Amino acid sequence: MSDSPFRPLSTDASWAEAQSASKDRPVLVFKHSSACPVSAKADKQLHALAEDSALPVYKIVVQDSRALSDEIAEALDVRHETPQAIVLDDETPVFEASHFDVTADAVREAVQSASSSTN
């Protein structure tokens, strides 16, 4: 068992789990490239976020699961990027950021906005 705060997103079943979880509260889908320094920076930011909050963070490493990453992009009608953060609320993308815009603060703000709009 990993000590990572991320939930692995590498199968159709884990994608279905992420979608289902978003029906109850916002979740984050984090697309990560293991070969990109910008993605490494985003990984550190979102790792800290995942440790410090109750936000479920589903991480997909695109080199390992490119077909699923493309499937997610198509299902959500969001252009594939890495790094990329997509906040899902009730299976709908309510926030998307890529590259240097993937920060813990931006995700926190998006989640707060999504949560307050459903209350």
Side-chain angles (χ1 to χ4, degrees), residues 27 37 45 52 54 67 78 83:
V27 303
Q45 288 257 329
D52 296 340
V78 172

Side-chain angles (χ1 to χ4, degrees), residues 1-116:
M1 185 74 183
S2 171
D3 63 356
S4 173
F6 297 121
R7 298 171 190 213
L9 181 54
S10 59
T11 64
D12 288 337
S14 57
W15 170 227
E17 175 190 314
Q19 290 174 294
S20 181
S22 78
K23 292 178 185 178
D24 297 324
R25 64 180 176 178
V27 303
L28 176 63
V29 173
F30 171 44
K31 291 187 176 188
H32 173 67
S33 169
S34 58
C36 172
V38 176
S39 200
K41 183 178 178 186
D43 187 77
K44 287 180 184 173
Q45 288 257 329
L46 299 184
H47 189 277
L49 175 71
E51 284 185 327
D52 296 340
S53 73
L55 176 68
V57 179
Y58 292 85
K59 178 181 174 181
I60 183 167
V61 179
V62 295
Q63 285 85 349
D64 299 336
S65 304
R66 182 58 196 246
L68 179 61
S69 180
D70 290 343
E71 180 183 322
I72 291 167
E74 186 175 324
L76 299 179
D77 196 25
V78 172
R79 181 181 165 186
H80 167 80
E81 305 270 0
T82 57
Q84 186 173 43
I86 304 167
V87 175
L88 292 183
D89 189 24
D90 199 17
E91 298 188 30
T92 302
V94 296
F95 170 82
E96 182 274 325
S98 61
H99 303 102
F100 292 103
D101 294 330
V102 177
T103 66
D105 288 342
V107 171
R108 272 190 205 96
E109 190 174 306
V111 169
Q112 261 186 327
S113 294
S115 295
S116 65

